[in-house]
Amino acid sequence: MQDEFERITENVDKDPAAAATASCALLESMFKMYIADEGLTAPADESLLPLWKVVRTHLKLNAADVEDENLRKILSGVSSIVDGIAGLRTRKGSAHGRDTRKSYRIEARHARLASHAAFTLATFFLETVEKRLTQF
């Protein structure tokens, strides 16, 4: 995870596509580690969205399962952020070839948005796991 964090911070300005890819990889790494540590069944597709589905279900972070309307909205937004980060990595990141004839080229501000969103989710995820561990 530290490697991905460093890759993000080093590349936001000089290679935004790599920073976007690393933002996705940071979350994927965290979720894979959690799934393995908890002995959960990993999804066949170990990309971000399926990993997030396993993790959010196990940690009871599904928006529909939360009573408070405001927290439900935020958790719904978190799922949209995960979807957006995954899509940005796939369509604009450095992991795949890019068709430069279409749409826009990812800029530092886009990579910064994705990375800050990933950092926020990573912090919330770690705090949620820690809280869960101290409740037992």
Side-chain angles (χ1 to χ4, degrees):
M1 290 187 319
Q2 183 65 31
D3 290 344
E4 298 304 340
F5 179 81
E6 289 172 7
R7 194 162 59 119
I8 293 166
T9 57
E10 290 171 2
N11 285 302
V12 166
D13 289 310
K14 67 179 182 180
D15 188 353
T21 297
S23 296
C24 186
L26 171 70
L27 296 175
E28 287 173 345
S29 296
M30 291 178 66
F31 298 160
K32 285 179 183 181
M33 287 174 51
Y34 180 78
I35 290 167
D37 289 350
E38 292 295 314
L40 304 174
T41 302
D45 175 359
E46 290 190 356
S47 60
L48 185 57
L49 293 173
L51 292 167
W52 170 240
K53 183 176 180 181
V54 171
V55 167
R56 78 169 189 238
T57 299
H58 190 256
L59 290 173
K60 297 179 173 70
L61 296 176
N62 287 310
D65 299 334
V66 176
E67 285 186 39
D68 184 85
E69 178 183 353
N70 296 310
L71 287 175
R72 190 171 44 248
K73 287 178 183 179
I74 293 169
L75 287 173
S76 177
V78 167
S79 289
S80 291
I81 287 169
V82 170
D83 189 33
I85 290 171
L88 192 64
R89 175 226 178 249
T90 299
R91 291 172 195 85
K92 300 294 179 183
S94 62
H96 301 290
R98 290 175 260 173
D99 184 351
T100 56
R101 298 173 295 163
K102 295 181 181 179
S103 187
Y104 65 94
R105 186 177 182 122
I106 188 170
E107 297 174 13
R109 64 190 177 104
H110 303 124
R112 198 168 285 108
L113 177 64
S115 64
H116 287 212
F119 295 156
T120 298
L121 175 54
T123 300
F124 177 71
F125 169 75
L126 292 171
E127 289 175 348
T128 300
V129 170
E130 183 177 323
K131 173 85 172 161
R132 185 175 182 274
L133 293 174
T134 60
Q135 289 181 340
F136 294 110

